[in-house]
Amino acid sequence: MAEEISPDLGFIKDIIAWGGDSLKKCFQCATCAVICPLSTDTKPFPRKEMIWAQWGLMDKLVGNPDIWLCHQCNDCSLHCPRGAKPGDVLASVRRYSFMNYAFPRFMGRLLSDIRNLPYLLALPMIIFIILLASIGHLNIPEGEIVFSRFFPIFYIDVVFITVSLLALLSAGIGISNFWKGMERNSNPWMPGTGMGLIPSIISTVTQVLGHNKFKDCGVNKDRYRAHLLVFYGFVGLFITTNIILVLVDFLHIETPLPFIHPAKILGNVSGIAVLVGITLVLLNRLKNKDITIATSYDWVFIWMIYALVISGILTEVTRLAGIPFLAYPIYLIHLVVVFYIIGYLPYSKLAHLLYRSVAMVYSRYSGREGIII
Ligand code: SF4
Ligand code: SF4
């Protein structure tokens, strides 16, 4: 019996609105699937994804691991004879996919609309102001600049540990929904018929650490270096934050740490790596603007990373320069941006790393051949 097709018109509308507006131009020539450096002869993409998207087969697409195996190099878009930009269509489908699996789902929707940005930033600012007002710290402290005298470490810990745990929980539920979605949609590639789960995880982690797939890109080769810098920059910042947590909370070491303290050096080097990496991402997007579309969603992500690094650098510079009326407010802004990056991670572009990694694990674990290298 023929499979009944029920198009999801809302899905098509969102895909088009989120940068996939060239979708209808595709006439199924399959050039993209041949050109794609990550597609294989036996499990090709993105031609089938293009037709599924045209037909509005939302369920088939959002739980399809192949949409995450694409690394958006846009070799396919460069060679598509119809200008259908399959690279951008897949990016749009990925965005829909993790919005669909996000928990709570309304947060995914909130983050996907740039008009909500002021409210998303206002939330942490209001929390911080209420907190500071309630402990009588809503003023610029006298004397040497020490941020913990303005925002006590105890309250920083309470806010950010809570936010991190909530983000972890949301991401965990989203990923679990995604895994179930892949199980429903990936027949015959079912879990347990490929590599073991642990070897699948090890193989994926090795690949992510080396960013090997980015090396296969043609047009967008520069993305390899850019992504690598941003990735390891964030890893360095994550390690630094945890070292400082241990130093301050458990070893009761006073802050600020001296400039030559290893944790300080790691933090500064990591911040510079993120800054250089995101600048390369920006330059790369500008260079390839004819091949790929940068949506407002992409731009918000880039500007928020800039806001994170620049507010961090200015916090340190104004402290060292001894300008309290600038240092404390900039520090507060920096905390708002950190809250945005951590708290909204399960719904932002940073969630790509999670979803792509899980799709890669699933592909290995389910016996979907051709991507195991
Ligand atoms: S997206 Fe372009 S290259 Fe791919 S099948 Fe459609 S028309 Fe052909
Ligand atoms: S953007 Fe690159 S990786 Fe993705 S489908 Fe196109 S060619 Fe393949």
Side-chain angles (χ1 to χ4, degrees):
M1 198 167 66
E3 191 183 350
E4 190 181 330
I5 293 176
S6 44
D8 184 328
L9 299 180
F11 168 71
I12 299 177
K13 213 168 123 221
D14 279 343
I15 296 304
I16 289 174
W18 292 347
D21 54 345
S22 48
L23 167 68
K24 301 279 182 189
K25 293 182 182 172
C26 171
F27 63 174
Q28 289 291 297
C29 68
T31 305
C32 50
V34 175
I35 287 290
C36 173
L38 304 184
S39 174
T40 63
D41 293 347
T42 47
K43 316 291 173 306
F45 62 88
R47 185 202 58 81
K48 68 180 185 307
E49 283 72 16
M50 291 299 282
I51 193 82
W52 289 352
Q54 282 183 345
W55 288 347
L57 302 184
M58 191 271 279
D59 286 337
K60 254 179 138 43
L61 274 166
V62 295
N64 168 19
D66 288 6
I67 63 171
W68 290 100
L69 303 183
C70 160
H71 281 49
Q72 213 181 346
C73 66
N74 279 310
D75 288 4
C76 54
S77 297
L78 181 71
H79 291 92
C80 170
R82 294 278 294 159
K85 296 198 166 134
D88 286 335
V89 173
L90 282 200
S92 191
V93 173
R94 281 193 292 274
R95 183 172 156 192
Y96 193 99
S97 174
F98 76 86
M99 296 294 159
N100 180 65
Y101 293 122
F103 178 84
R105 198 180 281 192
F106 75 86
M107 283 300 293
R109 281 274 157 192
L110 271 182
L111 265 287
S112 74
D113 190 339
I114 189 176
R115 287 171 299 183
N116 295 323
L117 183 64
Y119 308 113
L120 294 167
L121 290 172
L123 176 70
M125 185 56 99
I126 291 168
I127 292 174
F128 293 151
I129 288 176
I130 292 175
L131 199 57
L132 290 172
S134 69
I135 57 173
H137 280 218
L138 209 50
N139 55 343
I140 305 285
E142 302 274 320
E144 189 196 352
I145 300 172
V146 179
F147 292 119
S148 57
R149 287 171 49 206
F150 170 64
F151 208 135
I153 298 288
F154 171 74
Y155 294 98
I156 293 273
D157 285 353
V158 169
V159 170
F160 284 99
I161 290 175
T162 307
V163 166
S164 304
L165 289 176
L166 285 176
L168 208 60
L169 180 69
S170 304
I173 295 175
I175 289 296
S176 156
N177 291 339
F178 177 45
W179 188 274
K180 287 178 197 149
M182 288 191 291
E183 284 180 338
R184 272 196 303 273
N185 291 297
S186 296
N187 189 38
W189 318 116
M190 294 308 289
T193 51
M195 296 168 84
L197 184 59
I198 300 296
S200 301
I201 294 172
I202 292 171
S203 161
T204 299
V205 170
T206 310
Q207 194 168 89
V208 169
L209 291 179
H211 271 47
N212 301 343
K213 289 287 175 193
F214 284 98
K215 288 184 196 159
D216 296 336
C217 292
V219 214
N220 247 335
K221 252 194 175 353
D222 301 345
R223 288 178 79 235
Y224 166 67
R225 268 184 295 277
H227 275 250
L228 208 62
L229 280 168
V230 172
F231 176 76
Y232 278 106
F234 269 108
V235 170
L237 291 176
F238 177 76
I239 294 172
T240 307
T241 306
N242 284 289
I243 292 176
I244 291 179
L245 191 83
V246 171
L247 291 178
V248 173
D249 286 355
F250 298 101
L251 303 178
H252 306 293
I253 288 175
E254 292 283 318
T255 56
L257 298 173
F259 212 63
I260 49 153
H261 191 284
K264 198 86 175 172
I265 294 171
L266 178 63
N268 287 334
V269 170
S270 304
I272 290 168
V274 174
L275 185 63
V276 174
I278 200 69
T279 303
L280 291 176
V281 169
L282 176 68
L283 294 175
N284 197 37
R285 283 208 169 266
L286 294 175
K287 192 173 87 184
N288 292 309
K289 63 180 186 311
D290 295 335
I291 305 167
T292 181
I293 301 164
T295 61
S296 53
Y297 183 69
D298 297 319
W299 287 122
V300 166
F301 173 71
I302 291 174
W303 297 131
M304 289 312 295
I305 300 288
Y306 269 117
L308 176 76
V309 182
I310 291 173
S311 62
I313 292 172
L314 288 178
T315 298
E316 195 163 336
V317 169
T318 49
R319 179 182 67 78
L320 291 171
I323 317 173
F325 69 91
L326 284 180
Y328 289 110
I330 291 174
Y331 176 59
L332 192 58
I333 291 170
H334 181 63
L335 293 182
V336 167
V337 183
V338 173
F339 185 110
Y340 180 97
I341 299 284
I342 298 175
Y344 304 141
L345 188 147
Y347 326 102
S348 77
K349 277 215 89 167
L350 283 176
H352 275 59
L353 180 64
L354 291 177
Y355 281 81
R356 180 166 284 133
S357 303
V358 170
M360 286 158 79
V361 170
Y362 185 89
S363 295
R364 288 156 168 73
Y365 187 44
S366 65
R368 187 198 178 284
E369 298 164 15
I371 61 136
I372 301 165
I373 60 171

